Amino acid sequence: MKFPARHWSSSLIRTPLFTKHAPPINTATSSTRIATRSATLHSSPPSHRKISTRKPTISLRRALHLTLSPSQRQTIYALATPPGKAGVAVIRVSGPAVPDVYAKIVRKVGGKTKDPETANLPKPRVMERAEIVDPDTDEILDDGLVVYFAAPKSFTTEHVLELHTHSGRAIISSILHSLSRITGCRPADPGEFTRRAFESGRLDLTQVEGLKDLIDAETSVQRKLALRAAGGAIRKKYDDLRERIIYCLAMVEAIIDFGEGEEIEDGVWEKAQAKVSELQSEIRGHLHDGRRGEILRNGIRLAIFGPPNAGKSSLLNFLAQREAAIVTPLPGTTRDVLEISLDIGGMPVIVADTAGLRMTSDLVESIGIERARAAVASADISLCVLSLPDVLSGSVPSSVKELITPDTLLLLNKTDLVDGQQPETTNHSSALSTSEHQWRASVNTGTGMKSFLGDFVQVLRDRFDISGGGEDREPLITQARHRIHLENALQYLDAFMEMGPENVVFAAEELRYATQEVGKVSGAIGVEDILDTVFKEFCIGK
């Protein structure tokens, strides 16, 4: 007969009765684990008596008043809205113990708490007003709304319960504490709700990343890019690439199994190579996209540079519509790189105001100038601000001229200080004439600034925007890891093209590796090494 749980004693748990015949128990292990081992004791000789090592069930742990192991606490809960004082807070619960949670802490207004054994869950996807109560004392914690999502028609594909309460610190704290006392419940890890959605097949990795970007989006362009990824558009493109590589692999495998001739048609190898060549061109096109997807996701880095007192800091304040930088008539006021994030024309732009470029013996200013050069070199787009009087007199420093390229935007400031008719073109320097985009304006008086800002936004849209250009303008690569996997896949495709039909077995292996690399982008192939990195960036309740 099995030894009943109620007959266990601490002495029996820690020291086996039949030390000569029973296997030794490691006393260094947790007493909780030892306590859960069931023993079979009867009147047979000691040699037949043994201790079972079966894992304890949840019901046995409850009977022994033991703490459930993490693997047995499968129901997770967390605050899904930002903490702080607000009108509404949402607490999300997901897992098999949702019916028990609903029965213990939810009751209709003026009603009684439900018996977990007989309680009926509410109609799925229908809000109902209810009181949130303490599971032990029945004290009313808040009066709010609850909504139930039945498995598998929920975000995690599990039973999900959402408690919509008032967002007060004391209310949220008391409800979370009440949930912690319900058997089988535990606080969620960062991103665990989304990870469960991924593991159940509700989302792939590109959708998970798109969801995270959608939460973090600060501009309309970022929102569109993230919404496209979260909706599965990027996943479909990667799946198409992978399926086409698999098709090529199938043709090559057919040659290995049957050989060209009687069993299969001639020209299979050439057909596979032609398909792979198309894939090479397509992947190269995605890799040579100017990093538009990553730039829009992280923000366009704009560096404002020029000589001292040209109006760089004034331009930064104009763009920010506030006094973000100190402006004085003294040269060298800005001595470091000042960065602010702005929404310009719906696009995320990280604007960097830099130190004025000139020869100086001041150690601190010299460091600032070197940082300015580095900022220009690493920027996605640069804007040179010059004083128009200095340009007309030919006194632009050589340290500034050498940084101007055909892609550099040029703003000739201080037009209000020039008397008479301004020249239509600037031919005072070959370096300045190479710039394709030049404007004349006065940041101080506002003259010409409206035209400059409109043209500047158009330049940004032409270079980086994804709207209005169809699928050809939509970047496929939005994360650094996407680029790495596509680069690896392209290397394997290049290796395949270098092989002849006499190396068909090795060629098939190259295609198989290319398939795996593309599959890793969406999570179709083993990606355990990157899952933690992807999900740890989420907030707790997502």
Side-chain angles (χ1 to χ4, degrees):
M1 59 179 287
K2 290 187 177 180
F3 201 65
R6 62 178 179 272
H7 291 162
W8 284 87
S9 66
S10 59
S11 60
L12 179 59
I13 291 172
R14 298 183 183 278
T15 308
L17 295 176
F18 311 106
T19 54
K20 292 183 179 180
H21 304 279
I25 296 178
N26 183 5
T27 57
T29 59
S30 169
S31 60
T32 301
R33 286 189 176 181
I34 300 175
T36 58
R37 297 178 180 173
S38 60
T40 304
L41 303 176
H42 45 75
S43 57
S44 58
S47 60
H48 296 287
R49 299 167 186 169
K50 61 181 181 179
I51 295 178
S52 174
T53 58
R54 290 181 300 173
K55 289 185 177 180
T57 62
I58 294 179
S59 58
L60 179 57
R61 283 189 173 272
R62 287 176 176 173
L64 296 175
H65 303 289
L66 300 174
T67 303
L68 297 181
S69 66
S71 63
Q72 292 171 325
R73 299 165 67 194
Q74 288 297 312
T75 300
I76 57 175
Y77 63 87
L79 178 65
T81 49
K85 296 180 180 179
V88 178
V90 178
I91 297 174
R92 177 181 287 172
V93 187
S94 177
V98 161
D100 196 26
V101 172
Y102 180 81
K104 289 185 175 181
I105 72 171
V106 177
R107 74 181 180 193
K108 293 184 178 180
V109 177
K112 296 181 179 180
T113 53
K114 307 166 182 63
D115 182 353
E117 301 297 330
T118 61
N120 294 321
L121 287 166
K123 185 177 180 180
R125 301 174 181 270
V126 176
M127 279 279 191
E128 68 171 17
R129 184 184 172 192
E131 293 174 340
I132 313 300
V133 300
D134 187 286
D136 298 326
T137 65
D138 274 359
E139 175 192 359
I140 298 176
L141 304 178
D142 195 18
D143 184 345
L145 298 171
V146 298
V147 59
Y148 164 67
F149 299 90
K153 297 181 178 181
S154 70
F155 177 66
T156 61
T157 72
E158 303 172 324
H159 293 304
V160 172
L161 182 67
E162 288 186 358
L163 309 176
H164 294 241
T165 68
H166 296 95
S167 186
R169 184 175 298 176
I171 296 172
I172 295 172
S173 177
S174 60
I175 295 176
L176 293 178
H177 181 61
S178 297
L179 288 170
S180 70
R181 303 201 306 273
I182 297 178
T183 303
C185 293
R186 63 172 175 82
D189 294 328
E192 188 168 4
F193 288 94
T194 305
R195 181 159 188 160
R196 291 190 177 192
F198 167 78
E199 292 175 344
S200 64
R202 177 73 72 201
L203 304 173
D204 80 321
L205 273 185
T206 61
Q207 290 175 293
V208 169
E209 291 167 332
L211 183 60
K212 173 65 168 57
D213 291 342
L214 189 60
I215 294 172
D216 294 338
E218 296 181 350
T219 68
S220 60
V221 171
Q222 286 180 318
R223 173 185 57 80
K224 292 175 184 177
L225 191 65
L227 195 60
R228 175 171 155 264
I234 290 180
R235 178 198 65 193
K236 291 178 183 178
K237 289 190 175 183
Y238 280 114
D239 286 348
D240 177 65
L241 282 175
R242 182 168 175 263
E243 288 170 4
R244 288 158 61 190
I245 299 175
I246 291 176
Y247 178 72
C248 296
L249 176 61
M251 288 191 288
V252 175
E253 292 282 3
I255 297 174
I256 296 175
D257 293 338
F258 304 106
E260 293 184 322
E262 297 180 359
E263 288 81 5
I264 61 174
E265 62 184 13
D266 294 333
V268 175
W269 175 261
E270 289 75 14
K271 185 178 180 181
Q273 282 201 316
K275 294 289 185 182
V276 171
S277 179
E278 293 176 3
L279 286 165
Q280 283 179 301
S281 299
E282 186 172 337
I283 293 176
R284 283 196 182 96
H286 291 308
L287 291 173
H288 297 158
D289 62 349
R291 295 175 51 253
R292 284 191 304 119
E294 296 134 293
I295 288 173
L296 289 174
R297 175 178 174 269
N298 299 317
I300 304 168
R301 302 196 69 86
L302 167 67
I304 301 176
F305 72 98
N309 261 18
K312 301 183 299 300
S313 297
S314 297
L315 176 61
L316 177 69
N317 293 341
F318 172 81
L319 295 174
Q321 294 296 297
R322 62 184 177 89
E323 295 297 321
I326 299 174
V327 177
T328 72
L330 300 176
T333 301
T334 301
R335 296 195 170 197
D336 203 350
V337 177
L338 174 62
E339 291 187 346
I340 59 173
S341 297
L342 301 176
D343 180 343
I344 300 179
M347 287 173 288
V349 182
I350 303 173
V351 184
D353 179 24
T354 63
L357 301 176
R358 65 171 179 174
M359 298 298 296
T360 179
S361 59
D362 187 290
L363 177 61
V364 177
E365 189 177 356
S366 298
I367 295 174
I369 291 173
E370 289 303 315
R371 292 184 178 182
R373 293 178 181 277
V376 173
S378 62
D380 301 313
I381 188 169
S382 58
L383 172 60
C384 179
V385 180
L386 298 173
S387 171
L388 183 57
D390 292 343
V391 172
L392 295 177
S393 63
S395 58
V396 178
S398 58
S399 58
V400 175
K401 293 179 182 178
E402 63 188 21
L403 295 179
I404 298 176
T405 69
D407 291 330
T408 302
L409 309 183
L410 191 62
L411 176 62
L412 303 180
N413 189 26
K414 302 185 179 181
T415 56
D416 55 307
L417 300 182
V418 178
D419 296 328
Q421 183 69 30
Q422 298 179 23
E424 293 296 326
T425 58
T426 304
N427 296 318
H428 297 271
S429 170
S430 58
L432 302 185
S433 62
T434 60
S435 177
E436 297 180 0
H437 300 282
Q438 299 186 21
W439 299 272
R440 292 175 175 81
S442 172
V443 180
N444 187 35
T445 65
T447 304
M449 291 304 294
K450 183 177 181 180
S451 175
F452 159 73
L453 187 58
D455 292 345
F456 175 65
V457 170
Q458 189 58 48
V459 171
L460 293 180
R461 286 177 177 166
D462 291 341
R463 295 193 185 184
F464 304 105
D465 198 4
I466 63 172
S467 60
E471 291 189 0
D472 293 339
R473 290 286 294 170
E474 296 177 349
L476 179 66
I477 302 173
T478 58
Q479 306 272 345
R481 72 174 193 88
H482 298 180
R483 187 172 297 278
I484 292 173
H485 289 310
L486 280 186
E487 287 173 346
N488 292 342
L490 183 60
Q491 289 177 2
Y492 292 126
L493 295 180
D494 291 342
F496 168 83
M497 293 297 290
E498 294 174 359
M499 295 184 181
E502 66 278 3
N503 293 319
V504 64
V505 175
F506 296 108
E509 223 27 47
E510 300 296 341
L511 291 181
R512 189 172 292 108
Y513 291 144
T515 303
Q516 292 174 355
E517 288 296 334
V518 176
K520 288 178 181 180
V521 175
S522 62
I525 302 220
V527 289
E528 281 298 325
D529 54 336
I530 63 173
L531 285 183
D532 290 338
T533 302
V534 171
F535 290 105
K536 73 179 182 180
E537 296 181 357
F538 278 83
C539 58
I540 300 296
K542 191 60 182 172

